[in-house]
Amino acid sequence: MIRLVASDIDGTIVGEDNIVTSQNLKAIDDMKQSNINFTICTGKPYAMVKRFCQDLQASYGIFGNGNQIVDLKTGKEIFKKTLSQEEVQFCINLAKKQKLHIHFYTEDELVTPKLLYMDLRNFRLKDTLFHSDLNFKVVSDIEEYIKKQNPTILKLVISSPFSLEKVEKELNEKMNLTIYRIQKAKQYKDKIIDKEYEYLDITPSKTNKSEALTILSKYLNLSSSEVMAIGDNLNDMEMLQNSGIGVAVANAYDAVKQVATYTTTNTVDESGFAEAVYKYISF
């Protein structure tokens, strides 16, 4: 019996047109009426999607790819993990050496030297469906900003129009971090900013959606067999593998489909999320 459904946002519930279909909304409402814990599980920071979570009446939220867990019914923070000063400085130094774009997230800010890739994407999305509370701060010198403000940094993102495979390898060799290398190219091109690029999503060690979902499941006294996870991107793979049921929507990366229990016949725009819910939950 499924008692918790954890779902990614972009590409899973929300398509490129920034619409949640009526079928997906009905599936979410049916879960609420049946006391099933609907959990948003996203790489976005809490401030970016706080109002969106409220609109969907989600019970819990896993944010920043797992570095923060919030009880959305009460506002209580269940878990948080941040990057150390040493980890942040190493990433900045590496980005500077390779002349790569870097930006970072605090609890309520996105700080960048220039809006270019994922930071530009999130800027374009902030006043759409998400009604974001995230503050976008463009600064001339990220290092100087950190020295003066001493922010608590939850996540770093390094971006480039070229392959970041070697940069990812160096980071893995020198630092103990969680890194996802995501390619936004060809069929996965970022249509919101009309760009192809790669980015490294960098969070503290052993930080991912799956680890956070395990923490939340223990908090709620649930076993993994009572959890269904739904996603489309590479950062969803572990939670799909480690949940009782892992579902990839039809538009998911091929690698995600390979580890899923089930792949929907419908894409995000065709209510693939709702298809998954009604396949495995009887209301």
Side-chain angles (χ1 to χ4, degrees), residues 25-283:
L25 288 172
K26 183 178 185 303
I28 291 168
D29 187 62
D30 284 344
M31 285 190 287
K32 180 189 173 186
Q33 299 304 320
S34 298
N35 295 316
I36 294 170
N37 291 298
F38 174 50
T39 302
I40 292 291
C41 204
T42 178
K44 298 182 185 301
Y46 181 31
M48 175 86 189
V49 292
K50 183 176 181 179
R51 296 193 201 184
F52 178 72
C53 292
Q54 291 171 345
D55 290 343
L56 295 189
Q57 299 184 56
S59 302
Y60 298 92
I62 292 172
F63 306 103
N65 278 333
N67 59 23
Q68 187 177 25
I69 306 172
V70 179
D71 182 336
L72 298 173
K73 302 185 302 302
T74 64
K76 176 186 175 183
E77 186 176 74
I78 298 169
F79 172 84
K80 182 166 68 179
K81 196 171 186 180
T82 61
L83 291 162
S84 70
Q85 290 181 348
E86 179 188 4
E87 291 166 339
V88 170
Q89 191 61 55
F90 185 89
C91 292
I92 290 174
N93 290 344
L94 183 59
K96 284 177 66 176
K97 183 176 74 173
Q98 302 286 344
K99 297 182 180 178
L100 301 170
H101 181 67
I102 187 168
H103 70 272
F104 68 80
Y105 298 86
T106 69
E107 281 205 22
D108 57 7
E109 286 185 339
L110 184 158
V111 181
T112 180
K114 186 177 182 180
L115 293 165
L116 278 179
Y117 299 107
M118 281 299 291
D119 44 348
L120 176 59
R121 175 190 176 89
N122 284 336
F123 181 75
R124 295 233 176 121
L125 288 172
K126 74 183 183 72
D127 293 323
T128 60
L129 181 68
F130 299 116
H131 307 294
S132 173
D133 290 331
L134 190 66
N135 297 312
F136 288 75
K137 187 160 288 187
V138 178
V139 300
S140 57
D141 190 324
I142 274 188
E143 282 186 279
E144 190 64 25
Y145 180 84
I146 291 173
K147 286 176 185 176
K148 287 183 178 179
Q149 302 297 326
N150 192 30
T152 299
I153 297 176
L154 281 76
K155 185 167 81 163
L156 283 160
V157 178
I158 294 175
S159 309
S160 170
F162 309 109
S163 174
L164 291 169
E165 185 176 1
K166 291 182 179 178
V167 179
E168 178 189 25
K169 182 179 179 182
E170 184 170 351
L171 280 168
N172 280 324
E173 288 174 349
K174 302 289 180 60
M175 303 297 289
N176 186 19
L177 297 163
T178 299
I179 304 169
Y180 291 100
R181 180 164 61 95
I182 310 293
Q183 297 171 317
K184 302 289 284 185
K186 296 181 180 178
Q187 71 263 41
Y188 307 116
K189 177 183 178 180
D190 192 330
K191 296 181 179 64
I192 289 173
I193 63 171
D194 194 29
K195 282 184 182 290
E196 291 189 346
Y197 56 94
E198 280 193 13
Y199 69 93
L200 302 179
D201 190 293
I202 304 166
T203 53
S205 64
K206 297 181 180 179
T207 301
N208 58 57
K209 294 182 180 183
S210 180
E211 291 284 345
L213 198 49
T214 297
I215 292 169
L216 179 59
S217 296
K218 289 180 180 177
Y219 179 80
L220 297 172
N221 294 315
L222 300 177
S223 67
S224 61
S225 64
E226 296 174 296
V227 175
M228 178 165 71
I230 310 173
D232 74 300
N233 212 328
L234 302 179
N235 59 350
D236 298 319
M237 287 177 64
E238 294 98 339
M239 75 168 182
L240 266 62
Q241 287 176 298
N242 297 323
S243 297
I245 297 169
V247 178
V249 289
N251 52 280
Y253 283 72
D254 289 340
V256 180
K257 294 176 182 178
Q258 289 172 10
V259 303
T261 308
Y262 174 73
T263 297
T264 65
T265 58
N266 293 306
T267 66
V268 56
D269 296 318
E270 299 164 335
S271 307
F273 170 85
E275 177 189 337
V277 169
Y278 292 121
K279 178 176 177 63
Y280 289 103
I281 302 174
S282 298
F283 296 103

